Amino acid sequence: IGPQSQLLTRVANAERAVWVWPLEPTYRIDLAKMYVQRSETESDPSQSLDMAERNLSIALASRPLDPLAWSLLADVQAYRSFKLGDREAFSVAEVSYQRSIELAPNMAAMYVAYGAALFAAGRLDRSVEALEKATALDTTDAVAWRYLAEVDRALGRKNEADLARTWMIDFNRQ
């Protein structure tokens, strides 16, 4: 069985779990992740992304204070923006990222996700702010340091980029 067949089997099993336990948000979140994964192989990913967003919205209706679910929804919306060229989707994603940060203001991962999306959208100054906040909250987050190095380099801030890259390398060794 190839990877595509395995994914289709996993999606079918997750859909079955949601059908059996429709009120359990964890199953909907897992299913949404699989729809996003499936969308990566499709020539037109819009239907899979719609299904991912729908399942995340249902999960959030029962768990509205879950910052990770909000961040995942934002990731899906941002991915839609980049993959389909849907500018409005990124504005919606920003609202979802901001909600995840409101719910978990001391969780570096929320700022890393937002900063990475802002970087991908070309909003470099705002990306730096989010990533600097992430590294302030968790100085050992090598992913945050890597993104910060990339953004600093894109902004022409060579010294800052070199410093961030050094931190990234140090934390990757640990």
Side-chain angles (χ1 to χ4, degrees):
I1 297 176
Q4 188 62 21
S5 295
Q6 290 174 345
L7 177 60
L8 294 175
T9 300
R10 289 177 45 230
V11 168
N13 289 338
E15 287 172 337
R16 194 172 308 112
V18 167
W19 182 78
V20 173
W21 296 286
L23 299 179
E24 175 52 51
T26 302
Y27 295 123
R28 291 195 178 273
I29 291 169
D30 288 344
L31 180 57
K33 291 176 186 176
M34 288 180 218
Y35 283 140
V36 171
Q37 189 176 1
R38 184 174 76 183
S39 77
E40 294 170 355
T41 64
E42 298 172 326
S43 59
D44 180 11
S46 56
Q47 182 178 0
S48 291
L49 294 174
D50 287 344
M51 294 169 78
E53 286 186 57
R54 183 174 155 267
N55 276 281
L56 287 167
S57 294
I58 292 169
L60 282 165
S62 62
R63 230 189 315 187
L65 302 179
D66 183 341
L68 294 173
W70 279 103
S71 184
L72 181 58
L73 177 61
D75 287 344
V76 172
Q77 293 162 335
Y79 182 71
R80 171 187 295 282
S81 171
F82 304 137
K83 185 83 171 183
L84 302 178
D86 181 349
R87 294 175 198 253
E88 185 178 315
F90 192 78
S91 297
V92 174
E94 284 192 278
V95 172
S96 297
Y97 280 123
Q98 290 165 358
R99 181 66 178 141
S100 73
I101 288 169
E102 286 173 16
L103 294 169
N106 296 318
M107 186 181 264
M110 299 301 137
Y111 293 94
V112 174
Y114 188 35
L118 288 165
F119 176 51
R123 299 179 183 177
L124 303 182
D125 290 334
R126 292 185 50 216
S127 178
V128 167
E129 290 174 20
L131 294 166
E132 286 178 344
K133 179 70 175 178
T135 58
L137 288 169
D138 183 358
T139 60
T140 66
D141 190 329
V143 174
W145 287 111
R146 179 178 63 90
Y147 279 120
L148 186 56
E150 291 179 26
V151 174
D152 281 335
R153 190 158 317 284
L155 286 168
R157 298 171 15 166
K158 184 182 179 334
N159 292 339
E160 291 89 342
D162 290 344
L163 180 61
R165 188 171 185 285
T166 300
W167 281 101
M168 175 201 65
I169 291 169
D170 286 348
F171 290 120
N172 273 331
R173 286 185 190 151
Q174 295 177 4

